[in-house]
Amino acid sequence: MRHFLLAHRTAKTKGSIKLRFRLRDGRDVQLFHKSDIDADLQDLSRFDNTTCKPKSGSKVYNVVLAGEIDREVAIMNDAYTRMLERGLDITSEVFERTIEEIKHPIEEVRSAEELLSVRFRRYADEALRDRIIGLARYDHFITVSGKLERYLIIKGITRTVPSEVTPDFLMDFRNFLFDEYTYVPKHKLLYKKLNKRSLPTERLSLNTVATQMKIVQTFFNTLEQNDEIIKSPFRKLGKERQNAVVKTLYDDPIFLRAEEFKLVRTAELPENLRPTRDAFVVLCALGCRISDFQAMSMANISVSDEGIPYVHYLPQKTAGTQDTNKEVQTPLVRFAFDIIKRTNFDFPIIRNVYGKAGFNTLIKWVIEQSGVDRTVPIYNEELRKNEYVPIYTQGSSKLGRKTFVDMMAKVQVNKYAAGLHREGSNAVDRYTNLELRDRFALMNAAFDQKAYKVDKDLKIVRK
């Protein structure tokens, strides 16, 4: 039940004061509002503080003041209703902003500048259209766009335009990114439309927030370059704070060693974990991202003139933004080929990557059940120190990609080792090219597999 009360406090006995109000709704909500109403203390003494109405039995009172109080209470009531409908933060600060929004609708001159949420979404759409970003990165932009919209709604500042964003705004938004999960119980209507996977359930990591803040930084840098704003708010943060906002910390590289991978590939596992093991070891042999792996089928397999079967695909993350449409071509080592043939390149388990019964969770069980429990350092952001945990706790599709990269790096000679060219010289790449058969030989060495050949129908013709 809503109650509106006069909340003025003063030691004065004569003169006038600015009226203050209080809104109460049950035990949990208490909001304060300082109005622009000037009230003479003698006139005010004829009003009941608990009802905002003239006292019972009072026949003489200031009718004009009574009307001003009634109008102010009506606006407060509308503002509180709007806050509830929008799922705003129920604080006095947001209450005041919502009242101001009702009293003074946005000026026409200011509305000539697009709202922050609208401009950010248009920036993402145009970056995709102009091939500045690919579809995968566009998804990250849309994720940040959604978070920004929810932040603006919850804080009651949806009418913010880019030129009004301050360093304090950026830091508060950063805090919101870290702890958005804490807002879900308070704003159920706002989060109801999100699918289960997108619903914030825990504090985000430093690296995730840094990545999202870099997207916001890129947006404001572009506005500055386009002369839409005078100066990016990130440049007003100061060098140290700006670096802290977008700083990314990386743990030591974590991957399965060759002998550990062999254990995972050959271990006796329960029947229910074998489909996960099949998908995981093939992923390790391809080194692709999970999004690309999910999109693959037998149509992605070809055979070279030398009889080497290989997977070819355009990486989704960079599709549409590369200078060429050259596909990635990855030879299939024997164990990966055998699994693909047996399963017809169909791994139902990878359709659900996340969740308690998802691919990533089951990978952890596969590695643990295989007896691989080497401890690895993981940085604890709260304690600010490394904690040592079994490697199976870090099992995921990303571990498959990291394992592939590490195993391949360890069977290749550093092409700059001869000292003929400096590190990073393009000349070295002009003098050589790693062909499919060379990569096949390297992969066989890395995964301890024997070379083999197939015909165009994928039948083995030489073991």
Side-chain angles (χ1 to χ4, degrees):
M1 183 74 177
R2 299 178 194 179
H3 295 282
F4 298 91
L5 305 93
L6 289 170
H8 57 276
R9 289 182 181 179
T10 180
K12 293 167 63 176
T13 56
K14 292 183 179 181
S16 63
I17 61 170
K18 293 282 187 186
L19 279 191
R20 285 172 54 86
F21 293 84
R22 180 171 55 175
L23 183 156
R24 287 173 55 189
D25 188 8
R27 294 182 177 181
D28 298 329
V29 176
Q30 187 164 237
L31 303 173
F32 290 91
H33 164 56
K34 185 175 181 179
S35 74
D36 293 322
I37 300 174
D38 288 309
D40 185 273
L41 286 171
Q42 283 191 331
D43 289 337
L44 199 56
S45 65
R46 300 179 185 277
F47 285 78
D48 188 335
N49 290 344
T50 62
T51 64
C52 298
K53 300 287 186 183
K55 290 178 179 177
S56 179
S58 181
K59 296 180 180 180
V60 180
Y61 59 87
N62 188 324
V63 178
V64 175
L65 178 60
E68 289 180 330
I69 291 174
D70 283 345
R71 284 191 291 275
E72 199 74 12
V73 168
I75 291 172
M76 289 167 61
N77 190 51
D78 288 347
Y80 183 58
T81 300
R82 186 176 295 190
M83 290 167 69
L84 295 176
E85 289 175 347
R86 291 181 178 177
L88 305 185
D89 235 358
I90 306 301
T91 65
S92 294
E93 183 182 3
V94 175
F95 189 43
E96 289 285 21
R97 280 201 292 262
T98 309
I99 290 171
E100 191 66 19
E101 182 182 308
I102 293 172
K103 285 184 176 181
H104 307 290
I106 210 74
E107 296 88 351
E108 206 161 310
V109 173
R110 182 170 172 269
S111 66
E113 185 178 353
E114 274 184 300
L115 297 178
L116 175 60
S117 57
V118 174
R119 183 65 184 92
F120 187 90
R121 181 58 184 261
R122 182 163 71 86
Y123 167 75
D125 292 341
E126 289 175 351
L128 177 66
R129 180 200 68 195
D130 299 336
R131 299 179 66 181
I132 297 170
I133 58 175
L135 276 171
R137 184 144 175 79
Y138 176 73
D139 288 342
H140 291 300
F141 274 74
I142 295 307
T143 296
V144 175
S145 176
K147 290 176 177 290
L148 180 60
E149 288 176 12
R150 292 193 293 274
Y151 170 79
L152 294 170
I153 289 171
I154 288 171
K155 298 297 180 179
I157 50 175
T158 55
R159 307 302 297 177
T160 301
V161 294
S163 61
E164 294 175 332
V165 174
T166 64
D168 287 342
F169 176 105
L170 294 177
M171 298 306 291
D172 193 50
F173 179 57
R174 180 174 181 255
N175 291 335
F176 175 81
L177 293 178
F178 273 117
D179 296 317
E180 188 182 5
Y181 75 100
T182 63
Y183 290 86
V184 177
K186 305 174 192 174
H187 307 282
K188 293 179 181 178
L189 288 177
L190 184 60
Y191 288 94
K192 190 176 180 180
K193 59 185 178 182
L194 290 185
N195 60 49
K196 192 173 182 181
R197 179 183 166 185
S198 301
L199 198 66
T201 57
E202 60 185 2
R203 195 171 201 265
L204 290 188
S205 69
L206 178 67
N207 287 355
T208 300
V209 171
T211 299
Q212 293 177 351
M213 289 300 291
K214 284 179 183 177
I215 288 175
V216 178
Q217 184 182 39
T218 302
F219 164 70
F220 279 108
N221 287 347
T222 301
L223 295 192
E224 182 181 335
Q225 291 164 8
N226 294 345
D227 293 327
E228 293 182 45
I229 57 175
I230 297 172
K231 187 176 182 180
S232 165
F234 279 86
R235 294 209 293 126
K236 300 175 186 176
L237 277 173
K239 193 171 183 180
E240 287 187 5
R241 265 214 301 179
Q242 185 176 163
N243 289 340
V245 165
V246 297
K247 183 179 181 180
T248 305
L249 293 176
Y250 291 102
D251 293 311
D252 287 342
I254 295 175
F255 45 79
L256 291 175
R257 294 169 178 164
E259 63 272 17
E260 292 171 336
F261 177 74
K262 188 173 182 179
L263 267 178
V264 171
R265 187 169 64 80
T266 59
E268 286 294 326
L269 294 179
E271 188 69 32
N272 65 317
L273 288 180
R274 290 177 188 174
T276 301
R277 195 250 305 274
D278 283 346
F280 179 64
V281 298
V282 170
L283 180 60
C284 289
L286 296 179
C288 61
R289 298 181 180 89
I290 185 64
S291 57
D292 294 318
F293 193 44
Q294 288 172 316
M296 289 180 185
S297 68
M298 293 300 287
N300 292 90
I301 298 179
S302 293
V303 180
S304 73
D305 293 339
E306 297 99 328
I308 300 171
Y310 63 94
V311 169
H312 56 92
Y313 63 97
L314 283 171
Q316 293 183 26
K317 184 174 182 179
T318 54
T321 62
Q322 301 179 112
D323 294 334
T324 69
N325 288 323
K326 186 177 181 181
E327 293 184 313
V328 172
Q329 297 181 346
T330 306
L332 288 171
V333 291
R334 181 60 189 270
F335 72 79
F337 176 81
D338 289 344
I339 293 172
I340 288 172
K341 283 274 287 183
R342 172 165 50 81
T343 61
N344 200 37
F345 217 152
D346 183 21
F347 303 108
I349 186 61
I350 67 175
R351 294 169 195 162
N352 175 27
V353 178
Y354 307 99
K356 293 181 179 179
F359 185 43
N360 282 347
T361 298
L362 294 179
I363 289 172
K364 294 176 175 61
W365 293 355
V366 165
I367 298 172
E368 182 180 11
Q369 291 289 311
S370 300
V372 179
D373 58 1
R374 171 170 55 93
T375 58
V376 293
I378 298 296
Y379 184 71
N380 185 313
E381 291 177 10
E382 291 184 7
L383 300 177
R384 296 190 177 184
K385 66 177 184 179
N386 280 337
E387 292 184 323
Y388 286 82
V389 300
I391 192 170
Y392 59 75
T393 64
Q394 305 306 302
S396 70
S397 61
K398 286 185 179 179
L399 183 65
R401 182 170 169 82
K402 292 175 182 178
T403 296
F404 175 87
V405 171
D406 177 73
M407 292 179 74
M408 290 305 297
K410 286 176 177 173
V411 294
Q412 294 186 61
V413 176
N414 186 324
K415 58 188 177 182
Y416 305 107
L420 300 177
H421 296 88
R422 62 177 174 77
E423 191 86 13
S425 170
N426 292 331
V428 177
D429 291 322
R430 288 199 296 271
Y431 296 161
T432 186
N433 181 39
L434 209 57
E435 298 180 58
L436 188 73
R437 61 181 180 179
D438 301 318
R439 295 203 301 276
F440 189 46
L442 286 171
M443 288 183 64
N444 283 329
F447 288 99
D448 192 24
Q449 297 289 289
K450 293 181 179 179
Y452 68 102
K453 289 187 177 183
V454 300
D455 61 20
K456 296 301 180 182
D457 295 321
L458 299 181
K459 294 180 180 178
I460 295 176
V461 294
R462 195 192 78 187
K463 296 184 179 181

